[in-house]
Amino acid sequence: MSTNTTNVRSGRSVRRLDLVEPELSYHIVGALFRAYNGLGPGMQEKHYQRALAKVLCDLRIAFREQVSVPVLFEHQHIGRHITDFVVADRVVLEIKQGDFCSPDHIGQVKRYLAALTLHLGILANFGSQRVVYRRILAPVHDS
């Protein structure tokens, strides 16, 4: 999990042991800003999603859209959720149109992470004045 990243101001390599998927999440966040800046505020979520898919393609970052996430009850499949993106088979990316991240949205991403056995989710809100994102780590369960 340790990785080297480059400090933008100094150009020096910095070792960060506390981040999950730092380089990939850096590129995802850049894609979020590119999509938002290209469309501007006030668009529907589906338009931000389409723009984001185009940006990820342009950046040659592998992703899947509208990924089915199983809902299990007592180890039996009883339904499914759909997440917006799974990027590089390592990061759940859920987008919302609006100005804030609600606890329900954060819980939703955590459930996706648990069901897909991934470690990092990014919840992005395309708001009226900016895009805001939040990195969400998978819940840690004691064995």
Side-chain angles (χ1 to χ4, degrees), residues 24 27-28 31 53 55-64 87-88:
L24 180 57
H27 290 295
I28 292 169
V55 173
L56 291 171
C57 281
D58 290 350
L59 295 173
R60 292 185 169 88
I61 297 173
F63 67 93
R64 294 180 288 142
V87 181

Side-chain angles (χ1 to χ4, degrees), residues 16-90:
R16 292 289 309 255
L17 300 175
D18 60 333
L19 293 179
V20 175
E21 300 291 352
E23 181 140 341
L24 180 57
S25 59
Y26 172 83
H27 290 295
I28 292 169
V29 169
L32 292 169
F33 281 100
R34 186 170 150 195
Y36 184 80
N37 290 337
L39 288 175
M43 303 300 286
Q44 294 178 13
E45 183 178 315
K46 67 182 176 182
H47 297 127
Y48 291 117
Q49 183 167 348
R50 290 174 188 158
L52 189 53
K54 182 185 181 323
V55 173
L56 291 171
C57 281
D58 290 350
L59 295 173
R60 292 185 169 88
I61 297 173
F63 67 93
R64 294 180 288 142
E65 280 187 89
Q66 301 295 299
V67 178
S68 179
V69 179
V71 176
L72 302 176
F73 176 72
E74 296 180 350
H75 306 290
Q76 186 173 2
H77 184 272
I78 61 166
R80 67 185 177 118
H81 292 293
I82 303 293
T83 187
D84 294 324
F85 296 94
V86 174
V87 181
D89 288 326
R90 301 192 319 255

Side-chain angles (χ1 to χ4, degrees), residues 1 18-26 28-29 83 85-87 89-94 109-110 112-114 116-123 133-139:
M1 181 156 46
D18 60 333
L19 293 179
V20 175
E21 300 291 352
E23 181 140 341
L24 180 57
S25 59
Y26 172 83
I28 292 169
V29 169
T83 187
F85 296 94
V86 174
V87 181
D89 288 326
R90 301 192 319 255
V91 177
V92 167
L93 175 57
E94 188 67 18
V109 172
K110 286 182 177 182
Y112 294 164
L113 291 171
L116 296 170
T117 62
L118 296 175
H119 300 290
L120 177 65
I122 296 176
L123 174 60
Y133 68 93
R134 184 168 181 162
R135 291 171 48 92
I136 300 168
L137 296 177

